[in-house]
Amino acid sequence: MRALLYSGAHECSRRSPRLVMMSSSSRQNAVTALALAPPLLVPTAAQTLRRAAAPRLGNPSSPQKASKCTGRQRRCAPAAGAADMRAAAHQLPPEAPPARATVQPAAAPSANTFSWQQQWYPLAPVSYLPRDRPTGSVVLGRRLVVWWHAPSRSWRAFEDRCPHRLAPLSEGRLEPASGNLQCSLHGWEFGPDGRCASIPQADSPQQGAAACRSARACVASFPLREEQGMLWVWMDGMEAAEAASRQRPLPLPAELRAAADGSTPGALLGDWYMRDLPVSADSLLENLVDPAHVHWAHHGVIGSRSRGGAVLLEQDGPLTAQGGFRLRLGGRQAAGGAAATSGMPATTHFVPPSLVWLEMPAGGRGHFSLLFYVVPVSPTSCRLFAGYSTDAVPASLKRLLQPTGSLAPLLHAFQFIADLGSHEVVDGDLIHIFWQEQALRREGGGWRRAYFMPARADRGVILLRRWLDELAGGGPEYQGQSGPLGGQALISAAGSRPGKPLSRQQILDRYEQHTRHCPSCRRALATVQATRQVLQGAAATGFASAFTLVLLQALLPGPIVGAPPPGRAASLPLLVGSAALAAGLGAEVLRRLEQRFVFVDYVHGGK
């Protein structure tokens, strides 16, 4: 057994770039440490071998990087063949044949394997996306640009880089005449299938047409679906992605799954809540499958410490790569404050790759669902989508609540009220998750060594970590990076330098994480700011007027021309001053409301 461990450790050192970069003595110490690791950690070493041997999405040597660009298949990525290099050196003369690259599509995942790319992820609520300009996004470390193609009246998602000189297409514009996406650096245009449609700098029309036919002039395109007010993206950009995506249903709860006629048993209540968070997807998912924290971390918000206690979680069904797992809670053990208060049972579903679905009966007439989608953005950041749905509503009301229903504009306009409440819940968790993740990164050794979880209340966290380690390669696969938490350097947030800590205001920054993206909150914040400024001006003017009236009454011996009778004149400064005071108080109330859109420090000790 020890010989096998030494063999595996030496193989890991041979494949791992981290070990290859070490000195010989350091590398030998690392290999010895792997060989002497206790049996509990052996699966983690085996997973490291598999990840080191597997091709990565961002590996330029991987044969999956190239693909053919065709009109219907929408997969298009650069191919760096020798013929293409020679053609590029001669500026692709008209007689040069268009460069093409063929590639075998990635194999579809089986029931016991999991592919992070061949999955549907929520990209953005449709209400968040402008149709007059492109919008950038990031999923699994891959930069995307989302844009509205007006001629076909459909959304499109491309890789966010122009093949010319890698400028971000999300900084581009939509050309009104053609409806194409135009790069703002040199004006290259791309059609809805990812093909290059125009190169303004071409030496001649013939040369431009030949260059546009080259596979190197194409942009990688990703399948999209619009459903339940959300835009969903399939993160595999290969040729066969369109067909593969049609075989996989969207990760939606039962009441939101469309029937053959397009109808759904239930309805989404309001719009989606979206927030970018400076923690990994793994850590946030841990928090969502842990109902025991609700009465402690959210005391006075959606929970109460007086109701905290044992949470007896039971696994319901198998743990599988594609199906995730399900936990049942009974009676007082229901997940969430509302369910715990009323004593209703609840079920917690984890549906890979990103959905945590808390299901609660709704008075015997169906059920109510809390939906949380956690989208991996980078090893140290993720995007949270939250929504509420139910099938316990009359058919007439359900039609009104649909994203295209008559109530939709009103719900979108006042979505900011629900978002402010969601902020307080998220802030109560976020300050814990951030520093917990930092400690886990510093200590190393993985969750098995770092965590001590003796109670059944932790069963959801254990099942999630088992699913990640045993069935999902240790964690999300980011473009050009390894997935599991323990394999990353200590990073405070996406894009920050290792070891650079974030302040509490940066961790809980509501404006950057949510408000600037949310149209309802942006409009509400602008209205609050404008009204506050008017009230501040009125208060200042009122106080100045009241002071002037008092001064004039004191200095002038006779009555003021145009002033009211002496009995009423004495009360005029008081009335003006009172109005100014009311305006000042109103401005202060709005200032505090304005702050709720930007930053509110969450201090657990004060709850």
Side-chain angles (χ1 to χ4, degrees):
M1 181 63 181
R2 187 56 54 89
L4 289 176
L5 291 174
Y6 267 104
S7 175
H10 279 288
E11 177 65 11
C12 181
S13 69
R14 186 181 68 83
R15 293 182 181 273
S16 174
R18 295 173 185 262
L19 291 179
V20 170
M21 293 173 63
M22 295 180 181
S23 65
S24 59
S25 60
S26 299
R27 183 163 59 249
Q28 183 60 40
N29 291 338
V31 170
T32 304
L34 284 171
L36 296 177
L40 183 62
L41 299 180
V42 171
T44 303
Q47 291 152 10
T48 303
L49 286 174
R50 289 197 300 271
R51 286 192 298 272
R56 314 303 290 178
L57 184 60
N59 186 354
S61 64
S62 171
Q64 297 182 4
K65 189 65 178 178
S67 68
K68 185 189 297 183
C69 179
T70 64
R72 290 181 58 84
Q73 289 175 314
R74 305 198 322 167
R75 299 316 107 207
C76 186
D84 295 326
M85 292 296 188
R86 290 193 297 272
H90 295 283
Q91 296 296 312
L92 287 173
E95 63 273 16
R100 295 286 181 183
T102 59
V103 62
Q104 294 296 325
S110 67
N112 295 321
T113 62
F114 186 80
S115 167
W116 287 94
Q117 283 73 43
Q118 293 180 320
Q119 306 291 336
W120 286 109
Y121 293 89
L123 187 60
V126 177
S127 62
Y128 281 46
L129 297 172
R131 294 191 175 189
D132 60 345
R133 63 185 183 276
T135 303
S137 186
V138 181
V139 179
L140 292 172
R142 192 160 193 172
R143 296 180 60 86
L144 305 176
V145 56
V146 187
W147 59 288
W148 175 254
H149 185 243
S152 64
R153 298 194 59 79
S154 60
W155 292 101
R156 304 290 170 165
F158 290 172
E159 189 166 23
D160 190 15
R161 62 179 206 170
C162 178
H164 177 211
R165 283 172 50 193
L166 311 185
L169 292 173
S170 57
E171 294 293 330
R173 58 184 292 272
L174 303 183
E175 174 55 43
S178 62
N180 291 335
L181 176 63
Q182 185 182 80
C183 178
S184 59
L185 186 60
H186 291 93
W188 287 35
E189 287 188 25
F190 302 91
D193 59 354
R195 285 178 175 271
C196 184
S198 173
I199 301 178
Q201 293 77 27
D203 296 342
S204 66
Q206 295 79 9
Q207 188 224 19
C212 287
R213 289 196 301 269
S214 170
R216 297 190 66 195
C218 295
V219 183
S221 175
F222 299 84
L224 287 178
R225 284 181 64 180
E226 180 180 348
E227 196 161 327
Q228 293 300 331
M230 180 74 77
L231 203 61
W232 307 79
V233 62
W234 180 266
M235 283 305 296
D236 181 10
M238 307 306 293
E239 285 184 38
E242 196 72 56
S245 67
R246 287 195 293 266
Q247 303 302 314
R248 182 69 57 83
L250 294 177
L252 289 168
E255 65 266 22
L256 296 183
R257 294 173 192 157
D261 61 355
S263 64
T264 59
L268 190 71
L269 303 178
D271 203 356
W272 295 94
Y273 169 79
M274 185 185 86
R275 186 165 171 180
D276 292 323
L277 302 176
V279 296
S280 71
D282 309 18
S283 298
L284 184 58
L285 285 170
E286 268 191 15
N287 179 265
L288 293 173
V289 297
D290 169 29
H293 82 280
V294 171
H295 290 310
W296 304 97
H298 304 298
H299 172 75
V301 181
I302 59 172
S304 172
R305 298 187 192 102
S306 63
R307 296 199 303 270
V311 180
L312 307 179
L313 297 176
E314 296 292 342
Q315 183 178 349
D316 182 20
L319 177 69
T320 64
Q322 303 300 328
F325 60 85
R326 183 171 58 196
L327 294 168
R328 287 201 180 276
L329 306 91
R332 186 175 179 274
Q333 311 302 329
T341 302
S342 59
M344 293 186 297
T347 303
T348 300
H349 307 257
F350 169 63
V351 182
S354 60
L355 172 60
V356 175
W357 163 23
L358 303 181
E359 183 182 2
M360 306 172 189
R365 297 183 49 207
H367 60 271
F368 175 78
S369 297
L370 283 75
L371 311 175
F372 302 98
Y373 292 90
V374 180
V375 177
V377 173
S378 79
T380 55
S381 64
C382 67
R383 184 170 299 115
L384 171 67
F385 297 93
Y388 308 90
S389 63
T390 183
D391 57 2
V393 293
S396 57
L397 181 58
K398 183 178 72 175
R399 285 192 295 271
L400 295 176
L401 292 173
Q402 296 295 329
T404 55
S406 56
L407 284 182
L410 185 64
L411 294 174
H412 291 325
F414 289 94
Q415 178 66 27
F416 74 92
I417 299 175
D419 289 351
L420 292 179
S422 298
H423 284 332
E424 193 165 5
V425 177
V426 172
D427 289 350
D429 285 329
L430 185 55
I431 201 70
H432 285 303
I433 301 172
F434 180 85
W435 291 114
Q436 163 200 335
E437 184 171 284
Q438 296 299 296
L440 186 59
R441 291 178 187 277
R442 281 194 299 268
E443 294 180 12
W447 65 276
R448 286 184 174 90
R449 281 187 176 177
Y451 294 172
F452 176 60
M453 299 183 290
R456 287 164 62 181
D458 297 312
R459 186 160 293 179
V461 175
I462 295 172
L463 284 174
L464 174 70
R465 285 296 178 180
R466 280 187 54 205
W467 180 84
L468 288 167
D469 288 351
E470 300 170 13
L471 301 173
E477 295 179 352
Y478 302 96
Q479 185 175 27
Q481 303 178 61
S482 60
L485 188 67
Q488 301 296 329
L490 175 62
I491 305 175
S492 297
S496 62
R497 293 184 289 109
K500 181 182 179 182
L502 296 182
S503 65
R504 292 180 71 90
Q505 185 161 353
Q506 289 173 312
I507 298 171
L508 304 175
D509 189 342
R510 296 179 178 184
Y511 182 82
E512 289 296 328
Q513 296 169 7
H514 171 82
T515 302
R516 72 186 186 94
H517 303 292
C518 175
S520 178
C521 289
R522 281 202 313 269
R523 286 193 298 267
L525 178 59
T527 302
V528 168
Q529 289 174 329
T531 307
R532 175 183 57 79
Q533 291 171 359
V534 169
L535 290 178
Q536 284 179 335
T541 302
F543 282 124
S545 301
F547 178 77
T548 302
L549 287 173
V550 171
L551 188 63
L552 288 176
Q553 288 177 350
L555 294 179
L556 296 179
I560 303 174
V561 178
R568 296 170 54 190
S571 62
L572 183 60
L574 180 61
L575 292 175
V576 174
S578 298
L581 179 61
L585 291 175
E588 175 61 19
V589 170
L590 291 180
R591 186 195 67 79
R592 296 188 180 188
L593 178 59
E594 180 182 337
Q595 193 63 29
R596 295 186 63 189
F597 291 94
V598 180
F599 165 74
V600 177
D601 195 7
Y602 197 104
V603 181
H604 284 271
K607 297 293 182 180

